[in-house]
């Protein structure tokens, strides 16, 4: 594995503004969102709105990812994604969610998820996860992907490639009538081939007008994930695989989650709607 030094927190830039004409999610300015009490199966109108939100989120992530290179700060990636979403009439869902200060999550190397963009400078050989969610038309679209920065060692490159494949396999496993735990079973069985850890405490989730609806999508074979998959359900799948343990520590910022053994980790995510025959990805650029 790469001999990069471990990450340390950088300096945060001031909060970015969002034009006043862009609709805010209800949780902005509040300590927590109002709990979702609606259905997990969405109307055709909601799903169509989610296609728009998902496409904007995917395109914003794509624009930010174009800048990934040694010498670029994670804050600059946040600036680009923020501007793209605002320019397209969308609110960056993470901005102000439970007090989160930025418009995307940037998780580098040993950071599992929820890394905060700051003055951290990307280095040759890093792997960088970007997690971008857009809110428009009253709904959210959520996606993430892990990118290579410069010349990345083979072990890390394979981890990224196989984590993407784990997501693809999980999406193919989504069928009406199956239980939610089929998703984690497929991911965990694939990851075990390579000796990878599968993060258990951070999961996929239901998503619609609510950023996190309360529906939980584990990425391991959980005996408790017995909800039946039905057409019209909308949720994310976002496996986090590690080169070592699935256990984690959290930085003092209350957000940044790192592997306990500080080995590298990768993640990929799409927002899906269940169809009569499988799943449609809503977060395609």
């Amino acid at each position: 594995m790469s001999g990069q030094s471990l990450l340390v927190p950088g300096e945060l830039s001031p909060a970015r503004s969002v034009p006043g004409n862009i609709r805010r999610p209800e949780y902005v300015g509040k300590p927590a969102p109002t709990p979702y009490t609606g259905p997990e199966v969405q109307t055709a109108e909601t799903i169509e709105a989610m296609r728009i939100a998902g496409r904007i989120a995917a395109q914003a992530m794509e624009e930010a990812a174009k800048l990934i290179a040694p010498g670029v700060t994670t804050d600059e990636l946040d600036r680009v994604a923020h501007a793209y979403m605002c320019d397209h009439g969308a609110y960056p869902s993470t901005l102000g969610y439970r007090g989160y200060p930025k418009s995307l999550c940037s998780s580098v190397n040993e950071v599992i998820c929820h890394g905060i963009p700051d003055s951290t400078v990307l280095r040759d050989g890093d792997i960088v996860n970007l997690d971008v969610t857009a809110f428009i038309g009253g709904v959210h679209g959520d996606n993430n992907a892990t990118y290579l920065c410069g010349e990345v060692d083979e072990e890390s490159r394979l981890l990224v490639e196989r984590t993407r494949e784990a997501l693809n396999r999980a999406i193919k496993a989504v069928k009406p009538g199956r239980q939610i735990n089929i998703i984690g079973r497929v991911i965990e069985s694939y990851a075990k081939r390579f000796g990878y850890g599968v993060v258990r405490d951070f999961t996929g989730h239901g998503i619609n007008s609510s950023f996190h609806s309360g529906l939980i999508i584990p990425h391991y074979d959980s005996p408790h994930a017995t909800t039946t998959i039905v057409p019209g359900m909308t949720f994310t799948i976002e496996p986090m695989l590690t080169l070592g343990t699935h256990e984690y520590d959290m930085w003092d910022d209350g957000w940044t989650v790192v592997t306990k053994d500080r080995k590298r980790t990768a993640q990929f995510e799409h927002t899906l709607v269940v169809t009569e025959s499988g799943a449609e990805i809503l977060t395609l650029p």
Side-chain angles (χ1 to χ4, degrees):
M1 191 184 79
S2 170
Q4 300 279 48
S5 58
L6 298 178
L7 291 171
V8 295
E11 295 293 321
L12 281 180
S13 64
R16 295 191 159 87
S17 63
V18 176
N21 65 320
I22 293 178
R23 178 179 173 184
R24 272 73 171 153
E26 59 83 23
Y27 53 74
V28 174
K30 295 164 55 177
T34 301
Y36 178 72
T37 57
E40 297 298 345
V41 172
Q42 304 305 309
T43 65
E45 291 77 16
T46 296
I47 293 166
E48 182 54 36
M50 290 180 68
R51 286 191 184 96
I52 295 169
R55 184 166 60 247
I56 291 172
Q59 290 171 334
M61 184 174 73
E62 199 172 65
E63 287 301 306
K66 289 177 182 176
L67 273 71
I68 291 175
V72 175
T73 66
T74 54
D75 189 62
E76 179 66 4
L77 305 179
D78 182 79
R79 182 192 67 77
V80 170
H82 177 94
Y84 187 94
M85 285 185 273
C86 291
D87 288 349
H88 289 79
Y91 186 92
S93 300
T94 59
L95 184 61
Y97 180 77
R98 297 183 181 272
Y100 187 83
K102 291 295 178 180
S103 298
L104 58 70
C105 298
S106 55
S107 301
V108 181
N109 296 344
E110 70 269 18
V111 179
I112 295 170
C113 57
H114 305 157
I116 301 174
D118 58 19
S119 62
T120 297
V121 176
L122 297 178
R123 303 161 297 181
D124 187 57
D126 284 342
I127 59 173
V128 186
N129 179 271
L130 299 183
D131 193 334
V132 179
T133 309
F135 177 79
I136 188 171
V139 298
H140 300 268
D142 185 4
N143 70 159
N144 76 55
T146 303
Y147 300 90
L148 309 181
C149 180
E151 293 297 319
V152 174
D153 67 273
E154 183 70 358
E155 186 179 36
S156 299
R157 188 191 65 77
L158 285 171
L159 173 69
V160 171
E161 179 183 300
R162 290 165 177 167
T163 306
R164 182 191 291 110
E165 176 63 15
L167 173 60
N168 292 339
R169 288 174 180 238
I171 292 171
K172 290 176 183 175
V174 174
K175 305 285 184 186
R178 291 179 170 177
Q179 293 183 338
I180 288 292
N181 58 16
I182 187 65
I183 294 168
R185 189 176 308 140
V186 165
I187 292 167
E188 187 173 41
S189 63
Y190 180 69
K192 278 184 174 178
R193 291 191 201 175
F194 312 106
Y196 295 156
V198 181
V199 173
R200 302 168 78 89
D201 293 283
F202 299 90
T203 68
H205 52 89
I207 185 170
N208 39 66
S209 60
S210 173
F211 195 171
H212 300 85
S213 73
L215 177 66
I216 301 299
I217 312 294
H219 302 120
Y220 64 98
D221 188 4
S222 169
H224 306 295
T226 56
T227 300
T228 299
I229 298 169
V230 296
M233 290 176 80
T234 49
F235 53 81
T236 72
I237 303 176
E238 44 189 299
M240 292 151 260
L241 305 187
T242 72
L243 290 175
T245 183
H246 68 269
E247 296 179 342
Y248 68 92
D249 293 320
M250 187 174 287
W251 283 3
D252 291 342
D253 61 21
W255 284 105
T256 306
V257 179
V258 296
T259 53
K260 186 170 281 291
D261 57 13
R262 302 303 190 267
K263 291 185 178 180
R264 287 187 167 189
T265 175
Q267 182 184 16
F268 284 83
E269 173 187 21
H270 276 306
T271 295
L272 311 172
V273 59
V274 180
T275 66
E276 295 293 338
S277 59
E280 174 193 345
I281 297 172
L282 299 177
T283 38
L284 292 175

